[in-house]
Amino acid sequence: MTTIYFVRHAEPNYENHDDMLRELTAKGLRDRELVTDFLQDKRIDVVLSSPYHRSIDTVRHFAEKNALDITVVEDFRERKIDSVWIEDFNAFCRQQWEDFNYKLSDGECLKEVQERNIAAINRVLKEYAGKNIVVGSHGTALSTIINYYDKTFGHAEFNAIKGLMPWIVQFDFEDGECVAIRKYNVFEG
């Protein structure tokens, strides 16, 4: 069995419009300790992350406490929306969930995000077979992963988790096949 714990990042500073460099807020820095507490007894072997600062910083506390390095995996990055800030993010998200091929001129559609993330998972499953793995992730990227294995996860479910930061989803794999998905709200213990 290979288990991957995807950790959606803690609260980011939305005043910083640079998606790659957006840091955690003071609350986000405190809340990442909830991630550490949750993961502490999971016998984690490997810590991976999206290259975005908020994802790395969310799993960094756990990694440092357990003397584990963080390996950045570019393909676990969040969806690229466009080169400009989107004012009506909710309408844009709804449009993307209604049409997985919808994207702005300089962005990615959800189908592309899903394919990129699933390809990264497949590489991780080969490289770290039989291990317990943590991946620092993002709300949309993680939602497309859940949707790949569970088609009932759509726009309504994405909306329901928008405020959950951090949020952890456990995927169990046997022979490369996802056999279980469990979702954890770390604020509930």
Side-chain angles (χ1 to χ4, degrees), residues 31-105:
D31 288 347
R32 67 187 181 164
E33 293 183 26
L34 297 169
V35 172
T36 297
D37 292 346
F38 175 86
L39 294 172
Q40 203 55 49
D41 65 348
K42 305 298 188 279
R43 299 188 326 268
I44 302 301
D45 301 295
V46 178
V47 179
L48 310 173
S49 182
S50 151
Y52 290 27
H53 284 231
R54 60 193 181 274
S55 294
I56 293 170
D57 287 345
T58 299
V59 297
R60 183 184 314 275
H61 184 264
F62 171 79
E64 288 174 351
K65 187 172 182 177
N66 291 278
L68 295 167
D69 292 328
I70 299 173
T71 302
V72 170
V73 178
E74 287 290 327
D75 283 345
F76 283 136
R77 70 189 179 275
E78 181 61 297
R79 140 196 74 175
K80 181 175 182 189
I81 296 172
D82 202 359
S83 295
V84 297
W85 186 256
I86 303 298
E87 291 301 325
D88 192 351
F89 186 70
N90 290 331
F92 171 74
C93 286
R94 186 172 38 260
Q95 179 78 30
Q96 282 209 303
W97 279 97
E98 289 172 0
D99 177 2
F100 252 48
N101 291 303
Y102 175 76
K103 64 181 175 180
L104 299 176
S105 62

Side-chain angles (χ1 to χ4, degrees), residues 110-140:
L110 294 184
K111 183 178 183 211
E112 291 168 323
V113 175
Q114 185 180 66
E115 288 173 348
R116 173 170 46 77
N117 277 272
I118 296 302
I121 287 172
N122 289 334
R123 289 190 302 273
V124 165
L125 290 173
K126 286 179 184 170
E127 185 170 349
Y128 302 110
K131 304 284 187 189
N132 292 329
I133 304 154
V134 168
V135 177
S137 188
H138 304 271
T140 301

Side-chain angles (χ1 to χ4, degrees), residues 79 90-102 110 114 139-148 150-159 161-162:
R79 140 196 74 175
N90 290 331
F92 171 74
C93 286
R94 186 172 38 260
Q95 179 78 30
Q96 282 209 303
W97 279 97
E98 289 172 0
D99 177 2
F100 252 48
N101 291 303
Y102 175 76
L110 294 184
Q114 185 180 66
T140 301
L142 178 51
S143 293
T144 67
I145 294 167
I146 298 169
N147 171 269
Y148 180 82
D150 176 5
K151 294 298 181 201
T152 66
F153 192 97
H155 183 252
E157 291 73 21
F158 171 76
N159 264 342
I161 62 96
K162 277 195 332 191

